[in-house]
């Protein structure tokens, strides 16, 4: 199946700093990528839909100024957590849809665990 | 509001047992239902179901969808310790978005 990578896999930062997470589709072009957040023992919560060349669409309750999304190319989307606080600590997962795939399903990256001290 | 509910939330079985995981949904303009397995990292794709009554099968795992009752089940036969994971059900409606259920945490003991 298609491969989606995320970098970094784990990051620890101080409160108040900004953290950038990259999501790449390695062997296909993705016009749409999705960013999820997952708390321990909870399901995935969609944060936003990232559209190449246009603004991201945020889900209700997600602060767009806090979680900046940039989909600069057909293979790269970035999520920047600005002025991070301990409550932003979570597992962040991106996914990308492969339009040429057999099922047009979303492929997930391996996730980034963010810990804000 | 679109909603996906999974049950049970947690399941503990012994190797060799058969388990059935449930997923019910309410979604506008249903397009597909997907099952994922999540171990330590991101979910991995298991099945996509779009039509009622057609069983999808992969090894010891199988799944079926009932679009009339808005329901899907995931069966795992002859469970192994390697099946221990969280199983996530997600539904796609008239947007590209996936709506995930809470997941079922399966633990298989030897």
């Amino acid at each position: 199946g298609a491969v989606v990578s995320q970098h970094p896999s784990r990051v620890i930062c101080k409160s108040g700093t900004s953290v950038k997470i990259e999501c790449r589709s390695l062997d296909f072009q993705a016009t749409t990528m999705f960013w999820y957040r997952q708390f321990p023992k909870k399901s995935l919560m969609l944060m936003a839909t990232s559209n190449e060349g246009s603004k991201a669409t945020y889900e209700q309750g997600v602060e767009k100024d806090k979680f900046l999304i940039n989909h600069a190319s057909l293979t790269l989307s970035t999520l920047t957590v600005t002025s991070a606080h301990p409550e932003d600590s979570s597992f962040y997962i991106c996914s990308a849809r492969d339009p040429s795939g057999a099922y047009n399903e979303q492929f997930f990256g391996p996730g980034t665990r963010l810990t804000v001290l | 509001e679109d909603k996906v509910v999974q049950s049970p939330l947690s399941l503990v079985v012994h190797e060799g047992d058969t388990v059935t995981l449930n997923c019910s949904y309410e979604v506008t303009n249903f397009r597909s239902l997907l099952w994922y397995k999540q171990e330590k990292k991101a979910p991995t794709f298991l099945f996509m179901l779009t039509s009622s009554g057609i069983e999808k099968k992969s090894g010891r795992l199988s799944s079926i969808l009932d679009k009339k009752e808005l329901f899907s089940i995931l069966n795992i036969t002859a469970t192994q310790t390697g099946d221990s994971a969280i199983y996530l059900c997600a539904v796609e409606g008239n947007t590209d978005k996936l709506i995930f259920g809470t997941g079922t945490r399966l633990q298989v003991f030897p």
Side-chain angles (χ1 to χ4, degrees):
Chain A
V3 179
V4 175
S5 71
Q6 265 183 258
H7 179 79
S9 59
R10 182 183 289 270
V11 58
I12 301 172
C13 69
K14 290 184 179 177
S15 192
T17 59
S18 293
V19 175
K20 181 188 279 189
I21 303 169
E22 292 185 348
C23 177
R24 292 180 188 273
S25 56
L26 296 185
D27 49 2
F28 64 99
Q29 293 184 329
T31 53
T32 304
M33 292 184 172
F34 303 88
W35 286 95
Y36 295 87
R37 183 173 179 176
Q38 187 176 33
F39 291 104
K41 299 187 180 179
K42 300 285 185 185
S43 191
L44 279 74
M45 183 192 78
L46 179 65
M47 297 174 67
T49 302
S50 171
N51 304 297
E52 189 267 336
S54 64
K55 289 183 181 178
T57 305
Y58 289 82
E59 294 300 299
Q60 196 172 7
V62 179
E63 297 176 59
K64 55 184 71 175
D65 294 330
K66 171 85 176 163
F67 299 100
L68 299 178
I69 291 172
N70 184 8
H71 197 146
S73 74
L74 287 171
T75 59
L76 174 64
S77 174
T78 60
L79 168 69
T80 302
V81 182
T82 62
S83 187
H85 286 103
E87 58 264 29
D88 299 324
S89 299
S90 191
F91 192 52
Y92 293 86
I93 305 175
C94 73
S95 71
R97 186 182 296 276
D98 180 2
S100 66
Y103 299 105
N104 196 27
E105 73 269 30
Q106 289 186 29
F107 292 92
F108 287 85
T112 297
R113 187 164 299 284
L114 170 64
T115 303
V116 184
L117 302 175
Chain B
E1 183 185 338
D2 297 340
K3 188 168 64 174
V4 178
V5 177
Q6 289 185 247
S7 65
L9 290 181
S10 180
L11 199 50
V12 179
V13 300
H14 288 291
E15 270 191 319
D17 288 350
T18 293
V19 297
T20 299
L21 311 182
N22 306 299
C23 177
S24 62
Y25 63 90
E26 293 174 29
V27 69
T28 305
N29 295 331
F30 172 89
R31 281 166 59 176
S32 62
L33 184 145
L34 300 96
W35 284 98
Y36 290 88
K37 178 182 181 182
Q38 185 178 24
E39 295 173 270
K40 295 200 173 172
K41 293 202 169 176
T44 53
F45 173 78
L46 294 176
F47 298 111
M48 175 185 271
L49 303 156
T50 56
S51 302
S52 274
I54 299 174
E55 186 183 52
K56 294 271 180 104
K57 201 167 167 60
S58 176
R60 296 176 293 103
L61 276 67
S62 63
S63 183
I64 197 161
L65 174 67
D66 185 334
K67 288 166 75 174
K68 185 179 174 188
E69 299 296 327
L70 309 182
F71 188 82
S72 174
I73 60 172
L74 174 69
N75 277 323
I76 308 174
T77 58
T79 52
Q80 302 171 357
T81 54
D83 296 326
S84 298
I86 297 173
Y87 289 84
L88 295 166
C89 171
V91 172
E92 184 176 15
N94 60 355
T95 66
D96 268 346
K97 300 189 290 189
L98 288 179
I99 300 147
F100 280 87
T102 49
T104 293
R105 180 179 292 273
L106 173 65
Q107 292 176 276
V108 182
F109 286 99

